Amino acid sequence: MQVSNLLIEGVNLMLLGMGSVFIFLTVLVLAMSGVSYLAKTLFKDDPREKLASEMTLSPSANEGDEIIAVISAAISRYRAK
């Protein structure tokens, strides 16, 4: 075989491989979008909104003091090694 024929076959094989990967990824994106849409329609209430309303944005003073104490203890124990 001549080199030009081998190059043409190589390019054809490359385009076939890249095309199949592109088609597969396109189908995968469409499937994920469909599942996302289906999940949004089936479960209209967002649990993150409920969780955000229950949580406070800033910890209270006691929780902040406890966190500082735990971090200080961890640092001193690490430095003692």
Side-chain angles (χ1 to χ4, degrees):
M1 283 192 142
Q2 294 179 347
V3 176
S4 61
N5 288 341
L6 290 175
L7 286 175
I8 291 173
E9 286 185 29
V11 169
N12 286 338
L13 185 61
M14 177 190 69
L15 291 176
L16 179 68
M18 290 175 66
S20 62
V21 168
F22 179 77
I23 290 172
F24 171 75
L25 290 177
T26 303
V27 169
L28 184 65
V29 167
L30 291 175
M32 293 298 292
S33 298
V35 170
S36 173
Y37 178 75
L38 182 65
K40 284 179 184 178
T41 56
L42 290 177
F43 307 105
K44 292 184 180 178
D45 57 335
D46 191 6
R48 291 179 289 179
E49 292 176 2
K50 191 183 301 181
L51 191 65
S53 65
E54 294 173 359
M55 294 176 54
T56 58
L57 294 178
S58 60
S60 65
N62 291 340
E63 290 176 1
D65 292 341
E66 291 175 10
I67 292 172
I68 291 173
V70 169
I71 292 173
S72 299
I75 290 173
S76 63
R77 185 169 180 172
Y78 176 77
R79 289 183 179 169
K81 286 185 179 180

